[in-house]
């Protein structure tokens, strides 16, 4: 299992979250700020099975808007191995 931590612009949050949920993936959103001019960001926590990792990354690519400035990024993704999880 993998945990994707995706930092995206607030303006992309709704489209990305809906696409992930429609694909049957679970997502948790955390409001965050940072980067140049402290613009609003959303941090998404996405738990995925190993075989669905590329699918989730593709959804993120397809539903984030291109940045207005050259050299800027659409999103920052961290992919972590999850050794164990449980729900209580």
């Amino acid at each position: 299992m993998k945990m994707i931590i995706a930092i995206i612009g607030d303006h992309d949050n709704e489209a990305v979250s809906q696409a992930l949920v429609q694909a049957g993936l679970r997502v948790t959103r955390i409001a965050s700020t940072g980067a140049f001019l402290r613009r609003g960001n959303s941090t998404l926590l996405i738990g995925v099975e190993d075989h669905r990792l590329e699918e989730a990354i593709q959804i993120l690519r397809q539903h984030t808007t291109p940045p207005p400035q050259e050299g800027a990024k659409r999103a920052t993704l961290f992919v972590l191995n999850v050794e164990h999880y449980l729900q209580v």
Side-chain angles (χ1 to χ4, degrees):
M1 174 160 242
K2 305 289 186 201
M3 169 68 71
I4 302 171
I5 302 172
I7 302 167
I8 63 173
D10 275 341
H11 57 278
D12 288 329
N13 175 53
E14 192 64 29
V16 171
S17 294
Q18 283 184 7
L20 289 166
V21 169
Q22 286 177 354
L25 300 169
R26 295 184 183 185
V27 60
T28 299
R29 177 187 172 263
I30 302 170
S32 56
T33 58
F36 184 66
L37 299 178
R38 300 177 79 65
R39 294 184 189 148
N41 292 320
S42 293
T43 300
L44 305 180
L45 305 176
I46 309 155
V48 298
E49 306 232 354
D50 290 350
H51 70 276
R52 297 195 71 192
L53 177 62
E54 288 305 317
E55 175 188 0
I57 291 172
Q58 190 60 30
I59 290 170
L60 286 158
R61 284 189 175 124
Q62 290 174 345
H63 292 88
T64 51
T65 56
Q69 304 95 333
E70 186 175 324
K73 306 293 184 250
R74 293 177 185 219
T76 300
L77 306 180
F78 298 92
V79 179
L80 309 170
N81 289 318
V82 176
E83 184 175 320
H84 178 75
Y85 85 97
L86 67 119
Q87 297 174 318
V88 293

